[in-house]
Amino acid sequence: MDEGGVAREYRKRRKLPWSYLGLLGVLVVNALVQTARVSGDRPGGGDGTRWGPPVVGALLLVTLVRIVLEQYRAYTRVTSAGITAQGPLRARTWAWSEVYDIRVEPVPRGSGRMAPQWLTYLYDVQGRRFLLPHLNDWQLDDPYAEVAELCLAAAPHRSLTWERRPDVEERILRGAVRRRAWMWGVYGAIAMIFVMIVVSMALVIAGWADHVFLLIVCVPVAVGGVLGGVLQWYWGIRPPRSAARQP
């Protein structure tokens, strides 16, 4: 350890739960089967379904590669000079003078037990938020206690105190509102996909034209964009209490 005992590194220490890997495998297989099935039901491919399997396969491959890189390449390194967060592809380093706060925050509701329930974020002096890899409850027994000890050890290396500043807190709140709004926009888009699948099936049964790309892609994206924009505007005026409560 260096001066003050602040030096430490957080990497993957525990393997992913088998339940997580099993669920991921089921989702991948189901996505490939369903995509191939839809493409096979339309032999002409004139409606654009011919590109379905390759695109879905590529997206799944990118997702799997990202998961592997996050597990074996990502890390968080802390020294007396600052903090480095190595992501799946790139690394970022902050001097202690650029670090406003380090906070352990709960993940949004609905994530289930298939993902960490507590994640650690670094906030810079501009109020921007960055994830610190492997500082979570999957890799640590008590991430909150670990971060509290880390902040205490880092205090002598900072020119700033850990006291909160109203201007930065306001920017952090606006960021939290924006993320929440667009998260609900994504939820709305996903729900609309299922609705449009039902509509598409009804059109096929009725013998009407079935515009798959328009119904399954364009409509959900439009609904998600409108919902996210409206919620960001509304919550910007009246922030939800859960977004206003910063750890």
Side-chain angles (χ1 to χ4, degrees), residues 2-243:
D2 61 352
E3 181 183 354
V6 69
R8 60 200 71 192
E9 186 171 280
Y10 303 96
R11 291 183 178 268
K12 183 185 75 69
R13 303 173 185 177
R14 300 173 181 172
K15 296 181 180 179
L16 290 173
W18 284 107
S19 55
Y20 178 89
L21 296 175
L23 177 61
L24 181 62
V26 170
L27 292 176
V28 169
V29 172
N30 181 67
L32 291 175
V33 169
Q34 294 300 328
T35 305
R37 178 181 176 184
V38 171
S39 180
D41 290 341
R42 303 174 182 271
D47 60 353
T49 57
R50 182 178 300 175
W51 49 260
V55 171
V56 172
L59 291 176
L60 291 174
L61 179 61
V62 169
T63 301
L64 293 175
V65 170
R66 179 179 177 83
I67 292 175
V68 172
L69 290 177
E70 285 178 343
Q71 292 300 306
Y72 295 98
R73 176 177 169 81
Y75 63 80
T76 298
R77 180 177 294 141
V78 183
T79 68
S80 59
I83 299 178
T84 297
Q86 170 67 59
L89 298 178
R90 58 171 296 194
R92 267 189 99 105
T93 300
W94 298 266
W96 282 116
S97 60
E98 301 172 313
V99 178
Y100 171 71
D101 202 0
I102 303 172
R103 300 179 181 180
V104 180
E105 300 178 3
V107 299
R109 294 179 181 178
S111 62
R113 300 300 302 179
M114 295 294 103
Q117 299 299 293
W118 295 89
L119 301 175
T120 302
Y121 295 94
L122 178 148
Y123 288 89
D124 67 10
V125 293
Q126 302 299 320
R128 295 173 297 187
R129 185 177 81 156
F130 303 90
L131 177 68
L132 296 181
H134 297 311
L135 254 169
N136 55 54
D137 59 332
W138 267 10
Q139 304 299 335
L140 300 171
D141 294 330
D142 190 345
Y144 189 87
E146 179 67 26
V147 168
E149 180 184 344
L150 172 61
C151 291
L152 182 63
H157 305 285
R158 290 169 45 85
S159 58
L160 303 173
T161 66
W162 290 111
E163 294 181 1
R164 298 188 176 184
R165 294 159 45 188
D167 57 328
V168 181
E169 291 297 322
E170 177 63 26
R171 289 193 288 269
I172 291 176
L173 176 58
R174 289 200 300 266
V177 167
R178 182 176 62 254
R179 288 189 299 272
R180 176 180 291 267
W182 288 103
M183 178 184 69
W184 278 100
V186 171
Y187 290 163
I190 293 174
M192 188 56 59
I193 288 175
F194 289 100
V195 173
M196 289 298 102
I197 289 175
V198 175
V199 172
S200 179
M201 294 174 61
L203 291 176
V204 171
I205 294 174
W208 295 351
D210 182 17
H211 304 285
V212 176
F213 184 79
L214 176 63
L215 294 177
I216 307 299
V217 178
C218 297
V219 172
V221 169
V223 170
V226 171
L227 179 60
V230 169
L231 288 178
Q232 181 175 344
W233 167 79
Y234 178 74
W235 284 337
I237 300 173
R238 302 182 63 180
R241 286 178 298 177
S242 55

